[in-house]
Amino acid sequence: MRFKKHCILYCLSMLLGFLVSAQSKTLSESKRLANGKKVYSMYCLACHQADGNGVPRLNPPLAGTDYVTGSKTRLIDIVLYGLTEPLEINDEVYNNPMASHAFLSDQQVADVLSYIRNSFGNKAGMIAATEVKKQRNRQPKK
Amino acid sequence: MQKFSLILGLFCWVNYGIAQPKLTVPLQLPSGFKSTIVANDFGKVRHIAVHSNGDIYMKLDKLVNGKGIIRLRDANKDGVMEDTLAFGNYTGTGIGIHNGYLYATSDQTIYRYPLDANQNIVNPDQPEILVDGLLNKRQHASKSITFDRQGHIYVNIGAPSNVCQEQDRQKGSPGLTPCPILENAGGIWQFSTTKLNQSFSDGVRYATGMRNALGIDWNNEVNELYVTIHGRDMLYQYFPEMYNQKTGAELPSETFYRVKQGDDCGWPYVHWDHFQNKKILNPEYGGDGKKEGAPNAISPLVGFPGHMAPNALLIYKGNQFPERYKHGAFIAFHGSWNRSPEPQEGFYVVFVPMKNGQPTGKWEVFADGFSGMSPVTNLSAAKHRPTGLAEGADGALYVSDDKAGHVWKIIYKP
């Protein structure tokens, strides 16, 4: 009987804990996206524009590109190491280089990439700071 | 019914060819001026040239059906450019007609095509090569051209860089002194038009210190070169401690210069600031927003608001427009992107009144309304972006657009 009571209490507290942690997870996710938006406004928006549609001939769109919603490591590398090879995106090439943004912290890179993967009509998974750290610590490809 | 299908047929015919005028986007012009659309939907139409018979040549920066140059002709003289000739298998920006040749540029080569007595291209598929091997590193690679009357061609070789940092466009990366880019780019080079198959080293660096002088024209009144230059990007984004969102949108000035042989316009060390009327040292070179620099560099004739992108320059030679326009400068502003999140600026053609090669008054907007909206908060929604200018033999002004690929003809008819 006592045991049963304990069990109920235990289960209740488990449930409560789960609810709280689930709640805090989405809270921190939205906080991370808000932080990502801040990073985007300061460091990416000038080139890729507020609507993520970029600048014709110069800077590519981030809306609906596989580079953004596809491979996480490729995406992290673009921000950490930059790009100079011409990319063809939706049948257009873009003439500016994309500089390395390695001066951003792992958390900032993770947040801004999570933000662009979930903005401008994009829908893709969040990126964690640990994933950025892993890409930063390996030697950049030559 | 027959009548109806005839009308329908006519309607379809009128709408069929891409060279048919379509009435969209009327321009706002000073009173007495009128505009018509003479070409539409050719895609990335960069610079344009108009021949003495009225033929329009358009240089495309994206091939249409494999071709990069399009000639439009009104063969039956009914006011519609119904005859289309497409040739040239390369993309690019520059185009011009001079002494019996059509010249056109890719991002590394200057081609030319002899024109015959009937103003036809002798061999559209076999151009001569005037110069090959101009620097092409994609960024600022468009090769604009103009001609003097002594047999020279002038070509803009833009700097493949924002401000000659060790790492281009990287926040915190220092500027290089001296800037090595200036040896084979970042200026105007002069070549002879009497010798074929030249290489870069056959040219003369005519003037230097120019980031990207996309607008270029020879002023016959004073026999000198004039250019418009795209100023640097990212003052606010890289140096928020010196520039705020507003000053970073307004600065640096876009500039209009009169250039003599040997002149230096100061890039990458300084930018022009039209509020202080000074050459301000760039922060990558130790500047603080106030310190001046490059004492030997020349100053511009006009400093325009930042980032509006002066893509073409035309000194007006004709007699059709009222007297005050003669020898003055038209400048086509492509429209900015580096003002975000502030509204974008530009997307119009400006006029600078001039006499004896010097401005005689303030600049004014001459043709407006290309973007189809005001203000432009989303660059991607702007309908048209002025990119090229040309003058017809009758003194009409032509404006091209590389967003939708339209060409407007502007006449004075009070």
Side-chain angles (χ1 to χ4, degrees):
Chain A
M1 184 67 201
R2 244 185 117 131
F3 172 76
K4 218 175 177 180
K5 208 168 164 186
H6 268 221
C7 181
I8 285 169
L9 266 177
Y10 175 76
C11 287
L12 266 177
S13 71
M14 277 296 284
L15 189 67
L16 201 71
F18 174 75
L19 280 175
V20 165
S21 79
Q23 179 77 8
S24 73
K25 177 157 178 274
T26 54
L27 252 184
S28 83
E29 217 169 73
S30 66
K31 235 166 107 183
R32 287 193 52 210
L33 290 175
N35 185 44
K37 184 174 182 167
K38 263 195 219 149
V39 176
Y40 184 81
S41 302
M42 193 61 216
Y43 298 112
C44 322
L45 183 146
C47 292
H48 293 290
Q49 300 288 297
D51 62 1
N53 280 324
V55 178
R57 296 182 81 255
L58 301 180
N59 310 317
L62 300 180
T65 81
D66 186 54
Y67 289 97
V68 175
T69 54
S71 157
K72 287 182 178 184
T73 53
R74 182 178 62 181
L75 179 60
I76 294 167
D77 282 355
I78 289 175
V79 170
L80 288 183
Y81 302 116
L83 267 177
T84 46
E85 288 309 304
L87 303 182
E88 196 172 305
I89 293 171
N90 305 332
D91 202 26
E92 296 281 341
V93 285
Y94 295 87
N95 289 335
N96 270 352
M98 159 100 186
S100 151
H101 285 67
F103 62 86
L104 297 173
S105 71
D106 292 342
Q107 192 62 53
Q108 281 177 311
V109 174
D111 290 355
V112 75
L113 292 181
S114 299
Y115 170 73
I116 64 172
R117 280 162 74 88
N118 291 285
S119 305
F120 325 126
N122 297 336
K123 197 91 202 85
M126 302 283 285
I127 289 183
T130 48
E131 292 173 283
V132 178
K133 188 175 182 165
K134 208 164 129 207
Q135 290 309 107
R136 201 192 288 271
N137 288 342
R138 89 179 163 71
Q139 282 302 307
K141 58 176 179 285
K142 276 275 174 265
Chain B
M1 185 59 209
Q2 233 171 18
K3 216 170 172 181
F4 175 74
S5 57
L6 186 74
I7 291 171
L8 194 78
L10 263 177
F11 184 75
C12 292
W13 181 78
V14 167
N15 272 278
Y16 168 68
I18 39 179
Q20 305 305 322
K22 226 196 282 174
L23 274 180
T24 52
V25 197
L27 303 182
Q28 290 106 54
L29 298 162
S31 84
F33 289 92
K34 295 189 173 53
S35 71
T36 49
I37 292 171
V38 291
N40 53 274
D41 304 338
F42 284 97
K44 292 194 167 45
V45 180
R46 298 284 282 172
H47 285 176
I48 48 175
V50 178
H51 203 8
S52 53
N53 65 344
D55 286 354
I56 302 175
Y57 290 92
M58 306 185 282
K59 188 73 202 77
L60 310 184
D61 206 24
K62 186 173 186 192
L63 301 182
V64 171
N65 299 324
K67 304 296 181 193
I69 305 175
I70 292 182
R71 185 196 71 194
L72 298 180
R73 175 176 281 181
D74 178 10
N76 58 6
K77 297 290 164 203
D78 65 349
V80 177
M81 310 292 283
E82 79 290 342
D83 178 356
T84 306
L85 174 73
F87 58 101
N89 60 356
Y90 51 94
T91 58
T93 291
I95 197 155
I97 298 167
H98 189 71
N99 281 352
Y101 290 94
L102 173 78
Y103 291 80
T105 68
S106 70
D107 288 349
Q108 62 267 323
T109 308
I110 305 176
Y111 298 93
R112 74 176 188 187
Y113 304 78
L115 292 158
D116 67 18
N118 299 319
Q119 293 153 316
N120 285 318
I121 304 238
V122 177
N123 198 339
D125 293 325
Q126 277 170 359
E128 300 173 351
I129 290 180
L130 189 74
V131 186
D132 200 8
L134 304 175
L135 187 78
N136 172 16
K137 287 194 178 171
R138 293 168 57 227
Q139 192 181 175
H140 304 151
S142 298
K143 301 294 182 290
S144 316
I145 49 172
T146 192
F147 307 87
D148 66 15
R149 290 179 294 185
Q150 281 81 47
H152 300 117
I153 185 171
Y154 298 82
V155 56
N156 162 52
I157 306 183
S161 166
N162 180 29
V163 56
C164 205
Q165 291 163 278
E166 243 169 64
Q167 295 294 323
D168 187 28
R169 292 177 189 267
Q170 189 147 321
K171 188 178 158 78
S173 175
L176 293 171
T177 314
C179 171
I181 289 172
L182 293 170
E183 280 166 34
N184 57 357
I188 302 287
W189 266 256
Q190 182 199 56
F191 289 91
S192 167
T193 55
T194 58
K195 199 174 139 205
L196 295 181
N197 300 310
Q198 301 172 75
S199 64
F200 170 73
S201 57
D202 293 312
V204 169
R205 190 176 77 175
Y206 189 77
T208 189
M210 303 173 178
R211 183 170 171 275
N212 188 19
L214 207 33
I216 172 170
D217 200 11
W218 190 262
N219 185 340
N220 285 331
E221 191 197 11
V222 295
N223 223 16
E224 256 172 38
L225 184 69
Y226 285 69
V227 299
T228 58
I229 303 179
H230 287 217
R232 59 158 303 165
D233 301 324
M234 313 298 261
L235 277 174
Y236 159 60
Q237 287 83 2
Y238 295 169
F239 302 98
E241 65 282 10
M242 294 179 214
Y243 297 88
N244 60 39
Q245 199 170 296
K246 283 232 151 48
T247 53
E250 288 299 322
L251 289 170
S253 322
E254 302 292 54
T255 47
F256 174 37
Y257 284 92
R258 176 179 185 162
V259 177
K260 292 186 171 47
Q261 182 155 12
D263 275 347
D264 175 2
C265 296
W267 183 91
Y269 313 112
V270 291
H271 65 258
W272 186 252
D273 178 323
H274 56 286
F275 298 106
Q276 307 183 63
N277 267 323
K278 283 176 183 163
K279 287 167 289 180
I280 299 298
L281 197 61
N282 275 317
E284 290 85 352
Y285 296 85
D288 59 2
K290 292 188 184 67
K291 249 188 258 171
E292 295 178 62
N296 297 325
I298 61 169
S299 295
L301 300 173
V302 184
F304 296 93
H307 311 296
M308 306 201 302
N311 271 16
L313 166 68
L314 184 141
I315 313 281
Y316 189 70
K317 305 169 196 68
N319 295 310
Q320 183 185 126
F321 291 4
E323 179 57 27
R324 71 181 289 263
Y325 290 95
K326 185 115 177 173
H327 306 306
F330 288 101
I331 299 169
F333 283 100
H334 199 213
S336 66
W337 58 269
N338 200 220
R339 284 175 164 254
S340 292
E342 297 286 309
Q344 305 300 342
E345 251 319 307
F347 312 94
Y348 43 56
V349 177
V350 149
F351 178 70
V352 181
M354 298 209 297
K355 276 279 168 306
N356 303 319
Q358 293 295 118
T360 55
K362 234 186 100 43
W363 65 274
E364 64 206 32
V365 173
F366 174 77
D368 202 358
F370 292 94
S371 66
M373 64 187 60
S374 178
V376 179
T377 46
N378 261 354
L379 179 63
S380 59
K383 283 205 169 69
H384 305 281
R385 304 184 71 194
T387 285
L389 294 170
E391 191 180 318
D394 62 352
L397 181 71
Y398 293 77
V399 185
S400 64
D401 139 51
D402 69 356
K403 178 83 184 274
H406 283 25
V407 176
W408 282 262
K409 178 180 184 179
I410 300 174
I411 58 166
Y412 184 64
K413 207 174 177 189

